[in-house]
Amino acid sequence: MFVIVGYIVVMASVFGGFAMAGGHLAALWQPLELVMIFGAAIGAFFVGNTPKAVKATMGALPTLFKGSKYTRDMYMELMSLLFDVLSKVRKEGLMSIEGDIESPEQSPVFSKYPLVLADHHIIEFIADYLRLMVSGNMDAFQIENLMDNEIETHHVEGHVPASCINKLADGLPAFGIVAAVMGVVHTMESVGAPPAELGMLIAHALVGTFLGILLAYGFVGPLGALLEQKLEESSKMFQTVKVTLLASLNGYAPALSVEFGRKVLYSTERPTFAELEDHIKKAKSK
């Protein structure tokens, strides 16, 4: 919704200001300029990226028009899930969660938290490291190093779509100049035409530069920035799991381990200690 509203504001400001200054909006409608700019940009996009990067970018685009799923409710479910798992381990031993981590979708513990269960990346992350804890062959330092490497890999992979979009935005002003130069060449070919016609041709050529810059900074560039912000939000889930599990490995009680995880959350989504405690009590009563 914010993306659409932002686009409307950009268009209203630019085109509305042009119209209020006495400009004719019809002069800005140049389909051939758009064909040159978009065609060159799309072609360069496919040339400059691997099929895997192209697929990742296409898959990320629909998420830009959806709100963030990483809400306070999502984080409270995550921490309640971790509390339940660690409490079960403390009471019944590590082997008691073996069935839960092998089939999280069928686990009575995991199934209480549908928001978290719907995110297969975080579920896989939790299950993998609980499985390593069950094996008992790795200490906290080894697991922390492995977690850091996996989170870094996730971050690098998630940054691919944002990088592709940002590079596309960087190239649009140049493609706008290319379109403008093509217009100037066409104008020079028509140098014998009447002044009024030449003026029209020059105006059409300048629209190419205008469109390239507007598309880059008003439409495509902000999408890359938004993808980067969404990536940072998704990484916070992994950091919360990491801190909580490491606290448990170092001997802290489940309630205190979850508190460690709560502290790494952004202040805008971080529940208070009392809110988290109430949520955990309600989850336990289900």
Side-chain angles (χ1 to χ4, degrees):
M1 179 60 72
F2 279 105
V3 173
I4 297 173
V5 171
Y7 281 167
I8 292 173
V9 172
V10 169
M11 294 177 67
S13 301
V14 173
F15 296 112
F18 178 73
M20 286 188 289
H24 300 286
L25 292 176
L28 300 178
W29 174 243
Q30 301 299 328
L32 294 180
E33 302 282 339
L34 289 171
V35 168
M36 285 189 278
I37 295 171
F38 276 115
I42 292 171
F45 173 76
F46 283 108
V47 171
N49 296 290
T50 63
K52 183 168 64 174
V54 171
K55 183 179 179 180
T57 304
M58 295 303 178
L61 289 178
T63 66
L64 293 169
F65 300 93
K66 300 177 183 177
S68 175
K69 66 179 181 180
Y70 301 107
T71 61
R72 178 173 295 200
D73 290 338
M74 176 76 154
Y75 288 123
M76 285 205 290
E77 278 205 6
L78 174 63
M79 289 182 285
S80 296
L81 168 62
L82 293 172
F83 177 83
D84 282 357
V85 171
L86 295 178
S87 296
K88 187 175 181 179
V89 169
R90 196 174 185 88
K91 293 176 182 177
E92 304 174 25
L94 278 168
M95 298 305 296
S96 65
I97 62 170
E98 192 170 12
D100 296 307
I101 59 180
E102 291 301 328
S103 301
E105 297 80 8
Q106 301 172 9
S107 165
V109 177
F110 283 82
S111 60
K112 291 193 298 182
Y113 306 101
L115 293 178
V116 180
L117 195 59
D119 189 331
H120 71 276
H121 292 296
I122 197 66
I123 289 296
E124 183 180 358
F125 186 81
I126 295 171
D128 284 348
Y129 287 100
L130 287 174
R131 193 176 292 111
L132 289 175
M133 290 170 61
V134 170
S135 71
N137 295 324
M138 298 179 69
D139 60 28
F141 293 106
Q142 291 174 315
I143 291 182
E144 181 178 11
N145 182 61
L146 188 58
M147 284 180 168
D148 287 338
N149 286 325
E150 184 170 353
I151 292 173
E152 182 182 359
T153 299
H154 169 267
H155 194 82
V156 170
E157 282 186 331
H159 193 263
V160 168
S163 177
C164 292
I165 294 295
N166 285 332
K167 288 177 181 177
L168 181 63
D170 291 341
L172 283 170
F175 291 128
I177 293 173
V178 169
V181 170
M182 294 295 97
V184 171
V185 170
H186 178 52
T187 302
M188 297 304 294
E189 290 176 338
S190 309
V191 70
E197 186 176 340
L198 286 175
M200 186 67 70
L201 291 174
I202 293 173
H204 290 175
L206 292 176
V207 169
T209 304
F210 156 72
L211 289 175
I213 296 173
L214 177 63
L215 290 170
Y217 298 107
F219 291 86
V220 179
L223 296 182
L226 182 57
L227 279 174
E228 290 178 349
Q229 293 173 13
K230 285 180 174 289
L231 174 61
E232 294 298 328
E233 281 189 315
S234 68
S235 297
K236 188 58 65 176
M237 291 281 287
F238 293 92
Q239 292 169 1
T240 302
V241 174
K242 168 193 164 184
V243 170
T244 302
L245 293 184
L246 288 176
S248 178
L249 278 172
N250 284 308
Y252 291 99
L256 196 53
S257 297
V258 169
E259 180 63 14
F260 275 54
R262 186 183 73 86
K263 283 297 186 180
V264 305
L265 296 176
Y266 293 124
S267 60
T268 50
E269 285 80 35
R270 183 194 304 146
T272 64
F273 178 84
E275 287 175 333
L276 180 58
E277 188 177 32
D278 290 341
H279 191 275
I280 289 174
K281 289 179 180 178
K282 291 178 182 177
K284 288 173 66 176
S285 65
K286 289 182 180 179

